[in-house]
Amino acid sequence: MVRGKIRSLSVRDVRFPTSREQHGSDAMHTDPDYSAAYVIIETDAADGLKGHGLTFTLGKGTEVVVCAVDALSAHLVGRDLKDIVSNFRDFYRQLTSDGQLRWIGPEKGAIHLATAAVLNAVWDLWAKQEGKPLWKLLADMDPKQLVSCIDFRYITDALTEDEAYEILKNGKLGQKEREEQMLKQGYPAYTTSCAWLGYTDQQLTELCTKALKEGWTRFKVKVGADLPDDIRRCKLIRELIGPNNLMMLDANQRWDVQEAIEWVTKLVAFQPLWIEEPTSPDDILGHATISRALAPLGIGVATGEQCHNRVMFKQFLQAKALQYLQIDSCRLGSVNENLSVMLMAKKFQIPVCPHAGGVGLCELVQHLILFDYICVSGSLENRMCEYVDHLHEHFKHPVVIKNAAYAVPQEPGYSTEMKEESVQQYQFPSGQVWKELTSEEQAKLE
């Protein structure tokens, strides 16, 4: 039962120095420090439960998102949680349509990242109060209640409320069996952790060999900085993983449209399943051009981790600009907006393969992809969820991988709660960046 009035919202800037060992490095983000704007919501309810949410960043700029969260907090503090979740669509619009704040969006950029962090905390608290993991909270909802959480504004030309309801109603058929299947088998995953762009050949070899022994069969390789080096690295990794395992490529927005086509064509010998973010994440028609050019080669286009909102995803789908749709639990407006995108993907028959390369993203997105399979898509064909093995030790209920698959989380909530000692250790001094800290200051944060 939902209860309590929200009495406080706090937000902290948490940063991990992953750039030191090139974890997360790609062609466009060469020195990422995996970071988060970390939100905690407290109520006056006697249960003492708190809502934890976050949005993912790469270090510098997290302080901007923290400011945006503070600006949004006025919409929550003093509100009854029951009033929020019983009319979630209206509350979502209050956050995204603030008459002044929306000018620095709308529904994009730092203000939308902040919206995700806030709403992730609300969903976490709701699930905890119901005593269910987030995926189960969603799966147990009546289709009408789920639909009422979604803002359909701007997407009714692609998906109406009635269509969404019919998809969710049909998804109830076989739901119990799919849920039992997930509990036994888990959701199939692929690894990105073996082939960050900054890794040496020795690291690539050691990590791929280790992953193969652990049962991984799907590998993503970062490309885009240098073509001869990409050819060499892809050849090395294909030889390591063998001809029957899957390889995906990720350029992280490095190329112009024609450059992307020419570059990927030269990598076709390594049998990539997809090229991810081949060009600007905002260039829908450019992605469509690349998709048409690469289709005869059997290579699909994947994108979405930096797709701003449901409207852009609608256009990607309408333009046939992607073959693999990559939702992100912190780029879009939390569960609410991700629901709309998963439902559109179902209508357009495009597989959802979420982005999870970042601190906390695996913890969050596992819930969304479980819900998608159990209640929306009902299919595992061409579907898999990204996994990176960094920083899970800082979470109270870290993601669990078994046999290269996401094990189904059982703890109530959205798996977003970080260990307080980790937050204190890596909470960042306001107004500073890693490169500006002295060695003594860095040591204190570690």
Side-chain angles (χ1 to χ4, degrees), residues 193-249:
S193 301
C194 297
W196 298 113
L197 196 64
Y199 283 1
T200 65
D201 286 2
Q202 182 179 348
Q203 285 177 292
L204 296 178
T205 300
E206 291 174 353
L207 291 170
C208 285
T209 301
K210 181 174 181 285
L212 287 165
K213 290 179 179 178
E214 293 173 350
W216 290 96
T217 60
R218 305 172 180 92
F219 298 79
K220 190 162 79 178
V221 181
K222 295 292 184 174
V223 297
D226 179 80
L227 180 56
D229 193 52
D230 283 350
I231 293 172
R232 185 187 59 76
R233 292 170 68 253
C234 286
K235 182 176 184 293
L236 171 62
I237 293 170
R238 175 52 77 188
E239 289 173 350
L240 286 168
I241 69 175
N244 297 322
N245 288 325
L246 291 180
M247 178 192 289
M248 289 77 70
L249 306 179

Side-chain angles (χ1 to χ4, degrees), residues 28-82:
M28 291 295 278
H29 312 95
T30 56
D31 60 346
D33 286 323
Y34 277 10
S35 307
Y38 181 60
V39 173
I40 301 177
I41 292 174
E42 298 186 52
T43 75
D44 60 5
D47 56 29
L49 294 172
K50 300 177 183 180
H52 299 80
L54 60 84
T55 196
F56 170 61
T57 59
L58 292 185
K60 288 183 288 187
T62 310
E63 69 276 10
V64 177
V65 182
V66 167
C67 288
V69 170
D70 282 333
L72 291 171
S73 65
H75 290 282
L76 281 85
V77 177
R79 296 281 300 272
D80 286 330
L81 183 63
K82 184 177 181 180

Side-chain angles (χ1 to χ4, degrees), residues 91-353:
F91 181 70
Y92 179 89
R93 282 195 179 183
Q94 286 178 36
L95 290 185
T96 59
S97 300
D98 181 293
Q100 295 182 7
L101 291 176
R102 79 182 303 272
W103 191 257
I104 58 172
E107 296 184 83
K108 63 174 74 73
I111 194 67
H112 212 42
L113 293 174
T115 298
V118 169
L119 289 174
N120 284 341
V122 172
W123 280 98
D124 178 60
L125 180 56
W126 185 7
K128 286 175 178 173
Q129 289 193 350
E130 297 291 351
K132 299 177 181 180
L134 189 278
W135 70 266
K136 183 63 171 171
L137 174 70
L138 295 173
D140 287 349
M141 279 191 198
D142 178 85
K144 288 185 178 179
Q145 186 179 13
L146 278 168
V147 168
S148 74
C149 296
I150 301 170
D151 187 355
F152 288 89
R153 182 166 51 182
Y154 310 135
I155 64 169
T156 53
D157 54 325
L159 180 76
T160 67
E161 190 168 339
D162 288 342
E163 288 174 324
Y165 173 75
E166 286 300 316
I167 290 172
L168 290 167
K169 186 175 73 171
N170 292 336
K172 288 293 181 183
L173 300 174
Q175 177 178 319
K176 181 179 179 182
E177 290 76 13
R178 290 190 293 275
E179 186 173 321
E180 291 174 351
Q181 177 192 0
M182 288 293 99
L183 289 166
K184 291 178 181 177
Q185 300 176 6
Y187 195 92
Y190 72 87
T191 177
T192 301
S193 301
C194 297
W196 298 113
L197 196 64
Y199 283 1
T200 65
D201 286 2
Q202 182 179 348
Q203 285 177 292
L204 296 178
T205 300
E206 291 174 353
L207 291 170
C208 285
T209 301
K210 181 174 181 285
L212 287 165
K213 290 179 179 178
E214 293 173 350
W216 290 96
T217 60
R218 305 172 180 92
F219 298 79
K220 190 162 79 178
V221 181
K222 295 292 184 174
V223 297
D226 179 80
L227 180 56
D229 193 52
D230 283 350
I231 293 172
R232 185 187 59 76
R233 292 170 68 253
C234 286
K235 182 176 184 293
L236 171 62
I237 293 170
R238 175 52 77 188
E239 289 173 350
L240 286 168
I241 69 175
N244 297 322
N245 288 325
L246 291 180
M247 178 192 289
M248 289 77 70
L249 306 179
D250 187 357
N252 290 95
Q253 316 153 32
R254 183 59 184 256
W255 304 312
D256 281 349
V257 172
Q258 190 57 38
E259 183 183 18
I261 295 168
E262 294 171 358
W263 198 301
V264 176
T265 299
K266 292 181 172 65
L267 300 176
V268 70
F270 308 110
Q271 300 175 285
L273 178 68
W274 75 51
I275 177 62
E276 184 174 331
E277 286 196 317
T279 191
S280 165
D282 299 344
D283 190 353
I284 296 166
L285 297 182
H287 277 81
T289 298
I290 296 167
S291 293
R292 288 192 298 270
L294 297 182
L297 304 178
I299 302 173
V301 169
T303 195
E305 70 181 76
Q306 293 207 33
C307 182
H308 292 298
N309 50 50
R310 65 195 180 282
V311 180
M312 285 189 67
F313 270 119
K314 176 192 74 171
Q315 294 179 23
F316 271 109
L317 291 165
Q318 290 172 327
K320 299 180 180 180
L322 51 75
Q323 287 71 55
Y324 300 91
L325 188 150
Q326 297 176 307
I327 57 172
D328 183 285
S329 53
C330 298
R331 176 69 59 178
L332 296 180
S334 187
V335 177
N336 311 70
E337 192 167 28
N338 272 296
L339 287 172
S340 69
V341 175
M342 287 187 285
L343 289 163
M344 284 192 290
K346 170 64 175 179
K347 180 180 175 181
F348 284 81
Q349 293 298 297
I350 294 295
V352 174
C353 300

